[in-house]
Amino acid sequence: MAFQDFDKIQERVNANRKRKFRKRIIVGTVSLLVVVAAIIGGAFAYVAFEKQNEQEPKNNHKNDAKDSQKKSQSASPTPKAPVAAAQSVKPGQADKIIETLCSTTLYKVSCENTLKNRTEKGFAVESPTTFLKAAIEAVNEDLDRVLEKVLSLKTENQDDKDAIAQCKLLVEDAKEEIVASLNKVNGTEINNFVKIVPDLDNWLSAVMSYQETCIDGFEEGNLKSEVKKTVNSSQVLTSNSLALIKSFDANISPVEKVATRHLLDQIPSWVTNEDRRMLRAVDVETLNPNATVAKDGSGNFTTINDALKAMPEKYEGRYIIYVKQGVYDESVTVDKKKANLTMVGDGSQKTIVTGNKSHAKKIRTFLTATFVAQGEGFMAQSMGFRNTAGPDEHQAVAIRVQSDRSVFLNCRFEGFQDTLYAYTHRQYYRSCVIVGTVDFIFGDAAAIFQNCNIFIRKGLSGQKNTVSAQGRVDKFQTTGFVIHKCKITANEDLKPVKAEYKSYLGRPWKNYSRTIVMESTIEDVIDPIGWLRWEETDFAIDTLYYAEYKNKGPSGDTASRVTWPGFKVINKEEALNYTVGPFLQGDWINALGSPVKLGLYDA
């Protein structure tokens, strides 16, 4: 069943309350199925509700330097199962359906109130997805309010003005994803609902990230507090919508056993046969690029940006830019209008895009990236992405990726702190090299790193190194990092002095940080405890999900690992959930032709 959240819910209640909770779900589901007499082939009825308004405030976010805080969400509607044609649902039945579907949300009261407030008594519907649509529409309307409020903020501080401008763009991005979600729900029959779950989960998870980044852009103070309060209700609504998708999917949709598809070394299905052949091409003649970039003037363009400007906005098919050997010192953004773009270089240490923006230069981490990939379906092969700002300049991103269904093959990402910003959506990295010091793989994408070499380099004296800082803010987000069949080791500059630098697999940037390391080789550069607390606090140690499976090497043994509630040594069955097939709906990679392992290597 597509993109699921496989975390084990840690309820802080006694065993008796757990039994009562399960009983309530069972009773509610039975009632739902009774009300739903004809799931296939009939008209459906809407439910009647009284108009009430209630919101639940809560928060959890952190600043641009990644200071931790708590998260929250607000109200949202809940989907209902279909009812026989020409029948109407009695108020009591409707309430039971709402209670059942909202029972697993983080904000149950808000969920119920939002749904009741947005439905009209006796209104006939064509599909039970009307309830889910209502939930997502509530997010869309609240984002309008957020945008209006943010634009009304007054300040003379330039940093705050920049943060407001950035927040505006992020809210607009969030609205685009919400509209896409609404369109997807509107155009889908109930018996095909399972097919749209991955996209809905993906888009709404990105909406959560955009909202969080808006808040992160402001420095601590009154203005940030005001923005956080403003954004809170849309966060709650989005969280509840994500929870409802899962509840709706579980009650209505058939189950697909994707996790068992682990025998084929193929790419995700979102990659076409043509794209697959292109990725396997090794010479320019076979590649047949649409444009060639060369610093020496032997191509169509001398800069990558010039080649991008010449790319048609609505090009049919995949557009290929070949970038010849050279160091390209330019800030590059592949915007959302440039979908299905492939960049191919002469080698990850021959074709290099470089820059040196950093937080120390008074630039927000989000904007320090040398290269930004936004257009859907972006692919890069044999390219290098670098940020040369040194360790004393702190956050300095080499690449920010928010392209959905993006693939990086034989690429190199080089920096110090915050090298690779795997920001949002579904991402796949194969046979890449990633080099850095602190949190050098970070963000809130659903990303799998497979067969990659991860090098920890020498940073500031006394500095603790962390490979990852995953930023999931809500347990219903389908995001997380999977480091699969990789090698984690010391870079050449660190090897002679690695005893002087403590290094760890990761630390929790946000409340529901999720990282899985499996079937990888972990050299002795990693401390035996494996994982690091966030700034020596207990932040998120009981809500995060850190897992390891069958790692090897000097530091692969888990005997001395942290004993946090959120850390797990998982078995094969659970590990399969985090392979390319189920976690990324990895069939799309097959279509692109990049080599990929859909399942476990020991299967």
Side-chain angles (χ1 to χ4, degrees):
M1 130 174 223
F3 234 107
Q4 303 180 35
D5 181 50
F6 295 102
D7 287 359
K8 296 180 180 177
I9 301 175
Q10 299 174 347
E11 300 174 311
R12 300 183 179 187
V13 292
N14 57 36
N16 186 50
R17 286 190 63 191
K18 287 183 180 179
R19 286 194 298 272
K20 288 182 178 180
F21 179 80
R22 287 194 293 269
K23 182 178 179 181
R24 188 169 69 250
I25 294 295
I26 293 170
V27 171
T29 303
V30 170
S31 300
L32 180 146
L33 293 175
V34 169
V35 174
V36 179
I39 199 168
I40 297 178
F44 306 93
Y46 213 4
V47 191
F49 311 102
E50 296 180 355
K51 295 186 176 181
Q52 303 172 5
N53 284 310
E54 180 180 338
Q55 291 185 347
E56 297 178 23
K58 283 201 188 241
N59 271 322
N60 92 355
H61 309 297
K62 170 173 77 42
N63 67 14
D64 191 52
K66 300 203 258 338
D67 298 320
S68 358
Q69 296 169 355
K70 271 199 161 183
K71 159 202 113 345
S72 77
Q73 296 97 355
S74 147
S76 152
T78 151
K80 181 189 80 76
V83 206
Q87 293 183 357
S88 59
V89 182
K90 295 179 181 180
Q93 292 174 322
D95 289 346
K96 177 57 68 175
I97 293 170
I98 293 169
E99 179 183 347
T100 300
L101 292 174
C102 287
S103 62
T104 57
T105 64
L106 293 178
Y107 303 94
K108 182 175 180 289
V109 175
S110 292
C111 174
E112 292 176 355
N113 287 344
T114 302
L115 182 56
K116 291 176 183 179
N117 292 339
R118 298 185 65 85
T119 52
E120 299 174 358
K121 188 172 184 178
F123 183 77
V125 296
E126 296 180 354
S127 168
T129 53
T130 298
F131 291 88
L132 180 57
K133 176 184 174 183
I136 300 172
E137 282 177 341
V139 182
N140 195 38
E141 293 176 9
D142 201 72
L143 285 173
D144 286 333
R145 180 192 59 80
V146 171
L147 187 58
E148 181 180 0
K149 175 63 177 178
V150 168
L151 293 178
S152 71
L153 296 173
K154 304 298 181 184
T155 178
E156 296 302 318
N157 182 284
Q158 187 58 48
D159 287 341
D160 288 337
K161 288 181 180 179
D162 292 342
I164 290 170
Q166 177 177 300
C167 184
K168 172 183 177 292
L169 294 175
L170 290 165
V171 173
E172 290 172 348
D173 284 344
K175 282 185 63 64
E176 284 186 21
E177 310 265 342
I178 289 294
V179 170
S181 300
L182 286 171
N183 290 339
K184 184 73 75 170
V185 172
N186 284 337
T188 303
E189 298 293 333
I190 184 61
N191 54 324
N192 290 323
F193 181 76
V194 69
K195 296 179 181 179
I196 69 171
V197 169
D199 284 338
L200 294 179
D201 280 339
N202 171 52
W203 293 331
L204 289 173
S205 291
V207 171
M208 293 292 294
S209 300
Y210 295 141
Q211 293 170 132
E212 187 77 354
T213 308
C214 163
I215 297 169
D216 285 349
F218 292 86
E219 297 295 331
E220 292 296 335
N222 293 335
L223 191 60
K224 180 170 185 173
S225 297
E226 187 174 357
V227 171
K228 185 183 294 185
K229 183 178 179 181
T230 299
V231 174
N232 175 68
S233 62
S234 65
Q235 291 178 298
V236 176
L237 288 165
T238 310
S239 170
N240 282 341
S241 294
L242 278 165
L244 287 170
I245 291 169
K246 187 173 183 180
S247 178
F248 198 71
D249 188 35
N251 279 291
I252 294 178
S253 301
V255 178
E256 283 186 2
K257 301 294 184 181
V258 226
T260 60
R261 299 170 51 193
H262 59 275
L263 299 178
L264 299 177
D265 285 326
Q266 298 177 349
I267 330 166
S269 60
W270 26 279
V271 186
T272 66
N273 288 332
E274 180 183 352
D275 293 338
R276 191 178 317 175
R277 288 191 296 270
M278 185 279 300
L279 275 179
R280 288 175 180 150
V282 292
D283 60 86
V284 184
E285 291 182 4
T286 306
L287 190 63
N288 191 26
N290 298 88
T292 299
V293 180
K295 292 181 70 68
D296 62 6
S298 61
N300 309 104
F301 305 94
T302 57
T303 70
I304 297 171
N305 278 311
D306 285 343
L308 283 173
K309 289 176 185 176
M311 177 183 171
E313 286 188 359
K314 296 183 179 180
Y315 184 81
E316 294 293 330
R318 182 156 288 278
Y319 193 87
I320 303 170
I321 297 178
Y322 167 50
V323 186
K324 288 188 174 183
Q325 179 174 342
V327 177
Y328 296 83
D329 189 353
E330 50 182 313
S331 297
V332 177
T333 297
V334 179
D335 64 44
K336 287 183 288 186
K337 295 179 181 179
K338 293 176 171 55
N340 299 318
L341 169 67
T342 295
M343 274 191 196
V344 180
D346 281 328
S348 65
Q349 298 193 73
K350 293 181 178 179
T351 299
I352 300 168
V353 189
T354 189
N356 64 358
K357 294 179 183 177
S358 70
H359 189 71
K361 295 182 174 72
K362 305 299 181 183
I363 301 172
R364 255 174 222 86
T365 302
F366 189 78
L367 300 177
T368 61
T370 299
F371 192 102
V372 177
Q374 294 178 325
E376 183 175 355
F378 177 79
M379 294 162 48
Q381 182 174 359
S382 303
M383 295 277 295
F385 305 93
R386 179 186 293 170
N387 191 315
T388 59
D392 55 337
E393 295 196 33
H394 305 290
Q395 295 93 337
V397 178
I399 187 169
R400 168 163 51 92
V401 183
Q402 57 194 88
S403 164
D404 190 24
R405 297 176 175 177
S406 50
V407 172
F408 294 84
L409 179 63
N410 296 323
C411 289
R412 183 180 179 91
F413 309 95
E414 189 175 338
F416 286 86
Q417 183 170 349
D418 290 0
T419 301
L420 197 168
Y421 194 174
Y423 181 41
T424 53
H425 299 121
R426 292 163 285 195
Q427 306 176 14
Y428 178 69
Y429 299 79
R430 172 80 180 198
S431 302
C432 292
V433 173
I434 309 164
V435 184
T437 55
V438 179
D439 304 341
F440 62 96
I441 303 174
F442 79 111
D444 193 23
I448 290 185
F449 303 87
Q450 198 173 79
N451 277 47
C452 293
N453 286 324
I454 299 172
F455 293 102
I456 302 172
R457 70 193 307 178
K458 179 182 176 182
L460 297 176
S461 179
Q463 190 176 59
K464 293 178 180 179
N465 296 318
T466 42
V467 171
S468 67
Q470 204 281 329
R472 192 170 64 138
V473 298
D474 185 276
K475 78 173 184 178
F476 291 108
Q477 283 181 284
T478 51
T479 57
F481 293 162
V482 179
I483 298 173
H484 188 198
K485 197 66 173 179
C486 294
K487 182 177 182 179
I488 301 172
T489 188
N491 199 48
E492 288 301 319
D493 61 344
L494 181 61
K495 282 181 179 179
V497 291
K498 64 183 177 183
E500 301 172 21
Y501 293 83
K502 290 281 190 178
S503 298
Y504 305 85
L505 296 172
R507 59 175 181 159
W509 178 20
K510 303 286 183 177
N511 263 336
Y512 292 91
S513 180
R514 176 162 62 176
T515 302
I516 299 90
V517 183
M518 57 190 194
E519 297 187 309
S520 294
T521 300
I522 306 174
E523 299 292 351
D524 60 1
V525 66
I526 296 295
D527 189 278
I529 67 169
W531 306 85
L532 181 66
R533 292 174 183 265
W534 187 268
E535 297 183 344
E536 308 301 327
T537 70
D538 287 340
F539 172 75
I541 64 171
D542 55 349
T543 52
L544 59 77
Y545 182 89
Y546 286 164
E548 294 186 53
Y549 172 76
K550 281 199 171 181
N551 294 315
K552 58 184 181 179
S555 289
D557 184 64
T558 57
S560 300
R561 289 294 193 258
V562 294
T563 57
W564 306 340
F567 173 74
K568 305 284 187 296
V569 177
I570 57 178
N571 59 25
K572 179 177 180 179
E573 182 180 4
E574 190 164 2
L576 279 169
N577 293 328
Y578 298 102
T579 55
V580 173
F583 194 65
L584 292 184
Q585 304 87 52
D587 289 345
W588 54 264
I589 304 175
N590 287 333
L592 285 176
S594 167
V596 65
K597 180 71 173 178
L598 291 184
L600 295 169
Y601 282 80
D602 72 345

